[in-house]
Amino acid sequence: MTTSSSERGVSLGMPELPAPAYPDDVRARLEADAREIIARYPDSRSALLPLLHLVQSEEGHVTRTGMRFCADVLDLTTAEVTAVATFYTMYRRRPSGDYQVGVCTNTLCAVMGGDAIFEGLQEYLGVGNGETTDDGKITLEHIECNAACDFAPVVMVNWEFFDNQTVQSAKRLVDDLRTGRTVSPTRGAPLCTFKETSRILAGFPDEREGAVEASGSAGPASLVGLRLAKGEAAPARVVHPRDGGPHDQVPGRAAHEPSPAEHLSSHDAPQDTSASDPAHPAGPAAEEGE
């Protein structure tokens, strides 16, 4: 005796209908933009990433219609386009706010207050990760490192930097965004909406007055390597390797002997800590379970 799929509790469902097309006027405008983007690349399929930004600038997220459009103009399958659109978190798959507020919760920002900021904003806005406020203004998300560790904790709004944030400053920031007050990033171009940001990321110029001239800079800690490469800073100090054997040093210069107060990297010889030195000011570390 056999049982039907419904008796087994399996719902086969209806196949998903093809994505609707853009209205004729919208498609004509997007096709003109798409031709300009595709012309930048020797292989048309290389234009997929900026084309996804282009369709995202139309509706604020990458819709099935947008993916169908990309597939059509690049002669790809919708499966190929979907694979890319779902891989990168920069492409939104559902309606999102005018302002994408991203709180860095990677290691340094997290311990400097990023976790507290993210939790505080979730409670303050009444939304979870990746969710949008009822007024459609703010989409909140936690994000990975934005290479601004010397300004931790960092919040980004539509990929513009807001450095050295606190829970209270982040709450003021989202309040200003929701009420339409002018908000200026710590560095970089003035804010624009997420749709406008997506069009810029598609490769079209930012035509706002003064936007291109606006700039920012990495912090001193981030620029040390660049200054070293340009010979603008003293060479790195030489420390003895763990095995005490010979090592390279600058010709004609005595090896630098680090003082006890100097901070050594994790590649240097282990230093006494409360776990290894009973006389350490913090006291000996207790064994687990004691």
Side-chain angles (χ1 to χ4, degrees), residues 24 47 87-88 92-93 96 117 122-123 128 139-140 151 169 192 224 242 244 254 265 271 275 280 283-284:
D24 290 343
F87 181 82
Y88 294 103
R92 311 303 182 194
R93 296 298 311 284
S96 57
I117 292 173
Q122 286 188 97
E123 181 179 357
T139 296
L140 179 67
F151 296 109
S169 68
C192 56
V224 168
R242 295 188 182 191
S265 78
Q271 300 300 293
H280 192 280

Side-chain angles (χ1 to χ4, degrees), residues 265-286:
S265 78
S266 59
H267 296 287
D268 298 320
Q271 300 300 293
D272 288 336
T273 66
S274 59
S276 62
D277 182 8
H280 192 280

Side-chain angles (χ1 to χ4, degrees), residues 10-27:
V10 177
S11 177
L12 299 179
M14 292 293 292
E16 190 173 40
L17 296 174
Y22 284 121
D24 290 343
D25 59 331
V26 174
R27 184 177 178 94

Side-chain angles (χ1 to χ4, degrees), residues 186-258:
T186 308
R187 49 208 164 96
L191 278 185
C192 56
T193 67
F194 184 62
K195 288 183 179 180
E196 292 169 328
T197 300
S198 294
R199 182 169 178 83
I200 295 169
L201 291 174
F204 293 96
D206 187 343
E207 298 178 347
R208 296 174 297 157
E209 184 177 355
V212 175
E213 290 76 16
S215 63
S217 175
S222 299
L223 297 174
V224 168
L226 179 61
R227 290 201 301 271
L228 283 170
K230 291 182 175 180
E232 297 174 1
R237 61 186 174 82
V238 180
V239 298
H240 292 298
R242 295 188 182 191
D243 60 7
H247 57 283
D248 295 333
Q249 65 184 66
V250 179
R253 181 176 298 172
H256 172 70
E257 295 291 345

